[in-house]
Amino acid sequence: MSTFSSTTQGHSSCSNERLHIEYVNASSHLTATNDAEAVIEGLTRSRSRKTLPPQFFYDDKGSQLFEKICTLPEYYPTRTEAWILQTYASEIVQKMGECELVELGSGSSTKTRLLLDACARQNYPLRYLPIDVSGGILQESAKQLLQDYPTLKVYGLVGTYEQALAKLPPVSLPHRAICFLGSTLGNFYPEECDRLLEQMAATLNTGDFVLLGLDLDKSPAILEPAYNDSQGVTAAFNRNMLSHLNWRFGGNFDPDLFDYEGRYNPEKSQMEMYLTARQSHQVRLEKLDLTVEFSPGEAILTEISRKFNVDRTENYLRDRGLSLIQTWHDPQKWFGLLLSQVL
């Protein structure tokens, strides 16, 4: 395997017979403008609580903290989904047949290896299309995958989900499956979820597949500790978002002036993550020409994590042109893998 180097956004970083990585960001200027507008809109809301876009979790430190969250004893989703894949990957792959795997938010591609292993056991051709906003993570995981799977071909796309789905290359195997694991779908508000799933269905051909990993609704006694871990890693992950904003926009947020809390909202069946100001203070973001006043107890909503019901989700998918084929659970039914097919 030949080596390759990283490049600036907007350029393909590598192309050979087994590996192609393409940056599909619309433009660095447009992305920066959209990010700035989202921060200004979220921090200047007058009639509802302040919010921040969750993409600001993921600078280098934030990505490291999230990897640590996934190993915490209270945080069941990662290990539970991995158990389902370890147990049922072969069955899932047999349902799909020869199928190239597209993964949204591929990261280190750890769980996808279980699907690739199952494909290899069936002697299926191995073709993998990872999508991630981090070019560095995508390149590093691709290099390791090509070493570990000698027949694998990787076509990576660096950009947002929407940008990359619009730039998928022509399918080269009988079918294509979009894999969206980790219950990341739950971080989308309902209208955002609608748009993404409709784009998935429109991108695929009749008979293609969508594999969703979904965290299922359950007792707050299980949910709340998963987002309020005893080691404080989730709190550090949230406060690091403020440090990221300082770096991006010339800000002077003091993360120590905010308390973190994860709360379950039973009306919306979702966890909600908040940073709450401990005292009255002012924050300046120079590059945005923005000054924000915080009063004691004022909260910033940093992320939601919606929890799902399989029956309602089946109806929801059908309304968007996707027919549920099968659901796989862990024994406690805390998490589900849902395989659906384009009608």
Side-chain angles (χ1 to χ4, degrees), residues 115-283:
L115 294 171
L116 291 172
D117 290 342
C119 289
R121 287 194 295 270
Q122 295 294 323
N123 293 316
Y124 292 161
L126 301 182
R127 182 165 168 83
Y128 178 47
L129 291 82
I131 293 170
D132 205 281
V133 293
S134 171
I137 291 174
L138 194 150
Q139 288 194 16
E140 287 304 312
S141 62
K143 285 193 290 185
Q144 190 59 55
L145 286 168
L146 292 178
Q147 291 176 1
D148 296 342
Y149 297 89
T151 64
L152 176 66
K153 293 183 179 180
V154 175
Y155 192 110
L157 295 162
V158 180
T160 67
Y161 302 147
E162 294 82 0
Q163 291 166 350
L165 287 172
K167 295 289 187 178
L168 287 176
V171 64
S172 62
L173 294 179
H175 289 291
R176 174 175 278 171
I178 295 178
C179 305
F180 200 20
L181 305 177
S183 203
T184 306
L185 190 69
N187 300 137
F188 287 74
Y189 289 94
E191 61 275 14
E192 298 171 326
C193 186
D194 293 348
R195 289 195 299 269
L196 182 60
L197 281 169
E198 286 163 5
Q199 186 181 12
M200 286 188 205
T203 298
L204 297 170
N205 296 320
T206 301
D208 285 347
F209 301 92
V210 173
L211 180 65
L212 295 174
L214 299 179
D215 195 10
L216 304 181
D217 202 12
K218 59 186 72 65
S219 167
I222 299 167
L223 289 169
E224 290 193 338
Y227 295 86
N228 296 279
D229 65 276
S230 59
Q231 298 178 44
V233 181
T234 311
F237 176 64
N238 277 262
R239 290 193 185 99
N240 181 68
M241 177 186 275
L242 304 181
S243 299
H244 187 185
L245 290 174
N246 286 343
W247 174 77
R248 278 288 300 274
F249 301 113
N252 65 347
F253 271 107
D254 182 350
D256 290 334
L257 292 181
F258 290 85
D259 291 317
Y260 164 77
E261 183 184 7
R263 311 172 198 161
Y264 181 67
N265 183 332
E267 293 181 3
K268 296 184 177 181
S269 298
Q270 65 188 29
M271 286 297 301
E272 298 171 352
M273 282 135 276
Y274 294 97
L275 289 171
T276 303
R278 294 179 178 175
Q279 64 189 50
S280 177
H281 69 284
Q282 185 182 89
V283 172

Side-chain angles (χ1 to χ4, degrees), residues 300-312:
I300 306 172
L301 176 65
T302 59
E303 191 173 38
I304 64 167
S305 182
R306 296 163 60 213
K307 307 306 172 185
F308 295 88
N309 171 279
V310 172
D311 291 337
R312 288 197 295 269

Side-chain angles (χ1 to χ4, degrees), residues 36 39-40 44 249-251 283-292:
V39 171
I40 293 170
T44 57
F249 301 113
V283 172
R284 177 70 180 169
L285 296 166
E286 287 292 345
K287 293 182 180 178
L288 302 180
D289 190 23
L290 177 66
T291 300
V292 184

Side-chain angles (χ1 to χ4, degrees), residues 87-96 118 122 326 328 339:
T87 305
Y88 297 110
S90 292
E91 188 175 334
I92 294 168
V93 164
Q94 288 173 16
K95 293 277 186 185
M96 298 190 299
Q122 295 294 323
Q326 189 166 339
W328 294 268
L339 181 65

